[in-house]
């Protein structure tokens, strides 16, 4: 009898990304997931690894992709686990050297490991995110992946990727998002994210935050006896992707020094190559040239501000209209205000997707557009202006399907 299909089994599990019912975190504990994983040895390291956890409110996806690509270029077998996906759940787990989404064969390998003992019932209490996180643990070990990069999903202290027991923590920009779960202040949010640290963690890299957060960060690292390396925060007028790539160069250079001193005994099994790092999918990604459509997943006030500020650097001289869609649990009104100010300055158009899935910001009825009308603003055009699509990862499929 064949093992259950990985994706089909996962589809029956509770998926908080779909339900948006984050109230469950009030009583949530990682212990059941930890006990299950440890009872089977599913997160055990077969040999020495470099496991990296990436946390933050904004930028952790691009930093994770750049980290994985950099270590792959250096000749290390590298695995990347990120969330959410843009189009296909298989995008969440990627392997060097090309970092394409894992294949159906990879999923079968995962299923063969997880269902060896016919333990479907034992696995059925997991959430969808825990299920995919577990899949990355077992596949990376099965494939003998030396460098494993795990992007946290939500927070850190209660995030399933905490069970990776990372050796290194990378902290990206901290902003206010998911406040009902993580706290109402940036101080509280940072503390939740730092909670991903385990006893194995020895090094922390961070974009230098504002003074109150920097104090928390330094005190935390001092208390836990962690080495802290700081990198300057994003300067005005620079593309966040360019800045995050430089941040990753800084991180990789320091880690290479540590590896060379045999403080981390991972194996370099491939030949080092020199090639540019590909842009992370869905980050200031050009979807179409006619009309000129750019997608970015910015979905909180800080990310909106940074993305708008990055446009001039990334696409010099280009004027953009905005198409946005906000999920109901987001601060749509404050983000809408920033977008309206931008389009007024640009003398361009503003649209908000209005559907069962996306919530129209209060007071922005005149700017609403129905999904079936998207083709009207996305039709081919030779105009010089572009359209920036942002507000949610889920918008990606709406736009991608149009092309």
């Amino acid at each position: 009898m064949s093992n259950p299909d990985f994706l089909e089994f996962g589809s029956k599990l509770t998926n908080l990304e779909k339900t948006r019912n984050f109230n469950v975190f009030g009583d949530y504990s990682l212990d059941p997931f930890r006990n299950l994983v440890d009872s089977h040895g599913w997160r055990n390291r077969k040999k020495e690894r470099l496991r990296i956890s990436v946390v933050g409110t904004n930028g952790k996806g691009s930093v994770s992709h750049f980290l994985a690509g950099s270590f792959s270029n250096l000749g290390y077998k590298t695995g990347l686990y990120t969330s959410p996906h843009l189009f296909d759940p298989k995008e969440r787990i990627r392997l060097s050297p090309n970092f394409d989404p894992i294949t159906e064969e990879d999923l079968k390998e995962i299923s063969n490991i997880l269902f060896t003992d016919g333990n479907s019932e034992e696995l059925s209490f997991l959430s969808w995110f825990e299920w995919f996180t577990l899949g990355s643990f077992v596949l990376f070990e099965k494939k003998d992946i030396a460098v494993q990069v795990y992007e946290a999903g939500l927070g850190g202290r209660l995030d399933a990727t905490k069970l990776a027991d990372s050796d290194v923590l990378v902290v990206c920009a901290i902003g206010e998002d998911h406040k009902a779960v993580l706290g109402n202040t940036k101080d509280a949010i940072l503390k939740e994210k730092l909670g991903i640290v385990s006893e194995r963690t020895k090094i922390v890299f961070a974009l230098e935050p504002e003074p109150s957060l920097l104090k928390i960060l330094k005190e935390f690292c001092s208390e836990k006896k962690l080495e802290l390396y700081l990198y300057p925060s994003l300067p005005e007028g620079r593309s966040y992707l360019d800045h995050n790539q430089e941040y990753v160069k800084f991180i990789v250079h320091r880690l290479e020094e540590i590896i060379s001193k045999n403080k981390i005994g991972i194996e370099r099994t491939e030949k080092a190559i020199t090639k540019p790092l590909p842009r992370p999918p869905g980050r200031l990604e050009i979807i179409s040239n006619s009309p000129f459509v750019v997608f970015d997943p910015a979905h909180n006030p800080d990310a909106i501000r940074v993305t708008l500020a990055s446009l001039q650097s990334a696409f010099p001289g280009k004027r953009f209209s905005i198409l946005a869609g906000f999920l109901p649990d987001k601060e749509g009104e404050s983000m809408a205000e920033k977008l309206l100010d931008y389009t007024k300055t640009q003398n361009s158009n503003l649209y908000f997707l209005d559907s069962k899935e996306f919530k129209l910001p209060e007071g922005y009825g005149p700017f609403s557009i129905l999904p079936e009308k998207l083709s009207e603003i996305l039709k081919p055009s030779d105009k010089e202006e572009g359209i920036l699509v942002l507000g949610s990862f889920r918008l990606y499929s709406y736009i991608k399907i149009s092309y």
Side-chain angles (χ1 to χ4, degrees):
M1 183 177 177
S2 61
N3 290 317
D5 177 81
F6 182 87
L7 293 178
E8 184 179 349
F9 185 85
S11 69
K12 298 172 184 176
L13 304 176
T14 301
N15 187 346
L16 299 182
E17 292 173 25
K18 282 189 175 181
T19 66
R20 315 300 292 179
N21 179 24
F22 297 123
N23 293 330
V24 299
F25 280 106
D27 300 317
Y28 180 76
S29 169
L30 271 176
D31 288 342
F33 184 39
R34 180 184 287 107
N35 294 339
L36 170 68
V37 172
D38 287 348
S39 69
H40 292 276
W42 282 331
R43 61 173 174 153
N44 292 354
R45 306 175 189 218
K46 292 182 179 177
K47 60 179 73 168
E48 191 159 1
R49 308 292 190 200
L50 173 58
R51 288 184 177 174
I52 305 173
S53 285
V54 183
V55 303
T57 309
N58 299 314
K60 62 183 186 291
S62 59
V63 165
S64 297
H65 278 270
F66 287 142
L67 278 169
S70 297
F71 277 104
S72 177
N73 283 358
L74 289 170
Y76 297 101
K77 289 182 71 174
T78 307
L80 173 64
Y81 177 65
T82 62
S83 64
H85 61 272
L86 294 168
F87 210 65
D88 185 329
K90 294 194 292 293
E91 298 167 17
R92 295 180 177 233
I93 306 176
R94 299 172 185 261
L95 301 169
S96 60
N98 297 320
F99 295 103
D100 295 323
I102 56 170
T103 65
E104 291 293 336
E105 286 304 310
D106 292 324
L107 291 179
K108 286 179 183 177
E109 274 200 82
I110 296 172
S111 292
N112 288 340
I113 295 168
L114 296 181
F115 294 111
T116 298
D117 302 322
N119 47 3
S120 300
E121 186 175 342
E122 182 182 24
L123 295 166
S124 62
F125 79 88
L126 296 175
S127 70
W128 197 78
F129 185 75
E130 289 171 334
W131 179 238
F132 266 83
T133 304
L134 177 54
S136 69
F137 290 163
V138 299
L139 186 66
F140 290 169
E141 288 305 311
K142 175 71 173 177
K143 298 285 189 182
D144 195 22
I145 301 299
V147 178
Q148 303 174 7
V149 180
Y150 296 92
E151 178 194 357
L154 179 62
R157 180 177 63 90
L158 297 176
D159 196 84
T161 62
K162 179 181 172 75
L163 296 195
D165 281 348
S166 62
D167 307 283
V168 174
L169 173 62
V170 174
V171 183
C172 300
I174 301 297
E176 296 181 354
D177 197 8
H178 298 297
K179 292 194 289 188
V181 179
L182 304 180
N184 289 318
T185 66
K186 288 183 181 180
D187 289 12
I189 290 169
L190 174 59
K191 289 175 182 176
E192 277 292 313
K193 293 181 184 295
L194 292 175
I196 202 167
V197 161
S198 74
E199 291 183 1
R200 291 191 69 108
T201 311
K202 298 294 183 287
I203 303 169
V204 176
F205 293 92
L207 289 172
E208 186 165 348
E210 58 200 67
S212 65
L213 299 183
L214 182 57
K215 183 174 183 288
I216 291 170
L217 184 59
K218 286 183 174 179
E219 288 177 350
F220 178 86
C221 290
S222 176
E223 179 188 334
K224 300 285 186 181
K225 296 181 172 55
L226 304 171
E227 293 182 56
L228 174 61
Y229 296 91
L230 295 171
Y231 190 78
S233 58
L234 177 67
E236 287 295 326
R238 190 175 195 206
S239 163
Y240 77 85
L241 283 179
D242 291 340
H243 187 70
N244 286 349
Q245 188 163 346
E246 290 301 315
Y247 179 34
V248 166
K249 286 181 182 177
F250 169 77
I251 294 169
V252 173
H253 176 69
R254 293 293 181 277
L255 290 178
E256 270 283 274
E257 290 179 337
I258 293 167
I259 292 168
S260 68
K261 295 174 182 175
N262 292 320
K263 291 185 178 180
I264 301 175
I266 56 172
E267 297 178 9
R268 191 195 309 261
T269 55
E270 310 291 334
K271 184 179 179 181
I273 59 174
T274 302
K275 69 176 183 179
L277 298 176
R279 286 208 161 200
R283 276 73 175 182
L284 293 176
E285 179 184 341
I286 299 172
I287 303 294
S288 164
N289 285 295
S290 178
F292 191 77
V293 178
V294 174
F295 176 87
D296 192 89
H299 58 275
N300 59 67
D302 283 337
I304 294 284
R305 174 183 57 78
V306 167
T307 296
L308 294 178
S310 297
L311 286 177
Q312 186 57 45
S313 173
F315 308 103
K318 185 74 72 174
R319 182 166 67 102
F320 283 90
S321 291
I322 304 287
L323 168 62
F326 300 129
L327 296 175
D329 58 316
K330 297 298 179 181
E331 298 178 38
E333 285 71 29
S334 63
M335 290 188 281
E337 186 176 350
K338 292 180 186 295
L339 296 178
L340 182 58
D341 289 344
Y342 174 84
T343 52
K344 282 180 177 178
T345 302
Q346 294 283 305
N347 192 27
S348 59
N349 296 314
L350 177 62
Y351 308 95
F352 291 103
L353 195 60
D354 186 11
S355 69
K356 290 182 179 179
E357 187 171 24
F358 296 101
K359 181 185 176 184
L360 182 68
E362 190 172 343
Y364 285 84
F367 301 94
S368 68
I369 184 170
L370 298 174
E372 56 266 29
K373 298 289 186 179
L374 282 179
S375 58
E376 295 180 13
I377 64 170
L378 297 174
K379 61 186 177 184
S381 170
D382 55 7
K383 291 182 179 180
E384 286 301 309
E385 56 212 48
I387 301 170
L388 173 65
V389 182
L390 46 62
S392 171
F393 280 93
R394 297 190 194 186
L395 274 171
Y396 190 87
S397 59
Y398 280 81
I399 306 306
K400 202 71 173 173
I401 287 172
S402 300
Y403 299 102

